[in-house]
Amino acid sequence: MKKLLLLFVGILSTGIIYAQDVTDAVRYTQDEIQGTARYRGLSGAFGALGGDMSAVSINPAGSAIFNNSHISLSLSNNNIKNDVQYFNGFNTSKESNIDLNQTGAAFVFYNRNSNSDWTKFAFSAAYDKVQNYNNDWLAYGTNSASIDRYFLDITEKQAIPFGVLKLQPGEYIEEAYADIGSSPAYGYPVQQVFLGYWAGIIDPVNLDNSTNDDETNYFSNTAPADSYYQEFYYASSGYNGKFSLNFATSYKDRLYLGINLNSHFINYDKFTSFYETNNDPDSLTKNIVFENWLSTYGSGFSFQLGAIAKITNDLRLGLSYNSPTWYRIEEELIQGIDSNIADPDIGYISNIINIYPSYNLQTPGKFTGSLAYIFGEYGLISFDYSLKDYSNTKFKPTSDAYFATQNNAINNQLTTASTYKIGGEIRLKQLSLRGGYRLEESPYKNGNTLGDLKGYSLGLGYSFGSFKLDMAFDQAKQTAEYRLYNNSGFPSSASLDSRFTNVTVTAAFNL
């Protein structure tokens, strides 16, 4: 009965998480379409080309390039290799998965009025996976700082009376944790201090004083140790997807105009587990485990405008605008903590589900300019340049004091970033050979939190007439400094050197 009651209490408990930060903002502003094999074979340089379902996701005018109605479906094998360094420890982790990353159909209608300059109209519907969040890695090493600083930093910034952390007569530890989280006066930060105290990591200075309810000073039970072996495990899963309705038209077969109406959806789960131990005989708390399960769900809307112009029969110029994406996001959090001197009932806290109020996130808009040259039936070369100001990302409502602080941090830490893509294709009758290169600048001013992404691609395709089969291989590398916790008292981070490898196969049909 106790566990059933606790789950019920957990589901009802709500409060403000106050944990969203710049990292979350950047995660949901990434919009790298995974796309068809032909699109990936040219490293995504498709803004002025059109005639491909993923090209429509870059420039909405691209569907009017199709001469016939078109359907495509793509499967991708995604691999991530992470080389992780944490102080004196080094580890390599790998993750692989296969998924359906793209499907869509375009329907082309020709104008039967031969006197009209508007020669055709296209309608399309498509699904694209924008981001794949499947990843896991392990960091380990010896740190001179303990996780105790995570909890003590909060007590130093906020005067938290010890009486708030105590249990009321007949109150379960998990009920107190839920009540603190749902209280407008306390919320998430005080919950963390509550965990630190009942796990035996920190104590009030006047612990033995019977009148210590007003005590706001705390000390660490991991002291006087000065060396701590630590492990941090990160595992995430889910995706950011986009479903688009597209409308496009052609004027004199020289100018193509289009619009996309996009529905976005986020499904993101993250699990982190922190382990710490020390061998100092004078340290009371020697072994600590701190776990967090975060589930994020979101939906959003954006639109795109695009144009492609045939300057000559061979030279094409493209321009597109992606509006901001307006997200509504909901989050749930489960926490677990333990140590060698923790309260025996500490495990019941993991039965509590913290369900937080939804919040809004506005991502920045993006401009893309494209240029392509078609060498008749022999091939093509294409170039895309995109510009996005990440500092325009905003948590909303902006009147919220915490969100105002985070928006200020976004403005100070993020910057305008450019993306360069170049791709080429050689056609040998029915066989096509492709290659490309891309460079995505870091959205961070310091370039260390997340480095530039650099990648290349190779691909081939074969046309069986109305049926086409394409395959692409692409690989990219990026470095990152991952902060274990959003906390200035415990700023330890793991250095990641990541390699992303994808093999994509697309089947496409002309109707």
Side-chain angles (χ1 to χ4, degrees), residues 232-235 270-274 290-293 482 485:
F232 184 84
Y233 176 67
Y234 173 100
K270 181 179 73 172
F271 170 74
T272 61
S273 177
F274 179 90
F290 185 31
E291 298 177 332
N292 288 264
W293 298 264
Y482 183 89
Y485 298 97

Side-chain angles (χ1 to χ4, degrees), residues 34 74-79 95-101 129 132 134 503:
Q34 296 193 9
S74 303
L75 291 174
S76 183
N77 180 20
N78 306 300
N79 295 272
E95 169 72 18
S96 179
N97 63 87
I98 298 176
D99 60 17
L100 173 69
N101 63 288
K129 182 168 286 187
N132 183 348
N134 294 343
V503 176

Side-chain angles (χ1 to χ4, degrees), residues 340-403:
N340 57 297
I341 63 169
D343 185 277
D345 289 336
I346 196 74
Y348 286 111
I349 286 178
S350 62
N351 290 328
I352 301 299
I353 303 174
N354 296 283
I355 303 175
Y356 299 107
S358 60
Y359 64 93
N360 298 323
L361 176 68
Q362 178 183 313
T363 70
K366 181 174 72 172
F367 290 93
T368 300
S370 311
L371 190 66
Y373 192 86
I374 314 297
F375 298 95
E377 298 179 354
Y378 302 102
L380 58 88
I381 187 169
S382 180
F383 173 76
D384 280 12
Y385 171 76
S386 299
L387 190 67
K388 180 189 288 190
D389 187 352
Y390 286 87
S391 66
N392 287 332
T393 306
K394 290 182 175 62
F395 287 108
K396 293 185 174 181
T398 55
S399 58
D400 180 275
Y402 178 78
F403 286 158

Side-chain angles (χ1 to χ4, degrees), residues 2 6 9 164-181 191 193-200 337-338 341-352:
K2 181 179 180 182
L6 297 180
V9 170
V164 174
L165 309 181
K166 289 184 175 181
L167 302 183
Q168 300 300 313
E171 184 179 36
Y172 292 126
I173 186 173
E174 58 274 19
E175 291 176 322
Y177 168 82
D179 289 342
I180 288 173
Q191 265 188 327
V193 176
F194 181 90
L195 292 176
Y197 168 69
W198 287 98
I337 196 166
D338 201 4
I341 63 169
D343 185 277
D345 289 336
I346 196 74
Y348 286 111
I349 286 178
S350 62
N351 290 328
I352 301 299

Side-chain angles (χ1 to χ4, degrees), residues 204-283:
V205 171
N206 295 313
L207 178 62
D208 298 327
N209 190 328
S210 60
T211 60
N212 59 3
D213 284 2
D214 296 329
E215 178 62 68
T216 59
N217 296 310
Y218 297 82
F219 68 93
S220 169
N221 283 323
T222 68
D226 57 6
S227 179
Y228 306 88
Y229 173 78
Q230 297 170 347
E231 294 181 358
F232 184 84
Y233 176 67
Y234 173 100
S236 63
S237 61
Y239 58 90
N240 187 337
K242 180 175 75 171
F243 177 77
S244 302
L245 293 178
N246 164 263
F247 307 88
T249 188
S250 169
Y251 181 76
K252 292 185 176 182
D253 287 327
R254 306 295 292 185
L255 177 65
Y256 305 86
L257 304 172
I259 182 172
N260 286 349
L261 303 177
N262 307 312
S263 177
H264 300 258
F265 32 91
I266 295 171
N267 190 330
Y268 173 69
D269 292 297
K270 181 179 73 172
F271 170 74
T272 61
S273 177
F274 179 90
Y275 170 74
E276 176 181 297
T277 186
N278 73 80
N279 56 12
D280 192 307
D282 295 322
S283 174

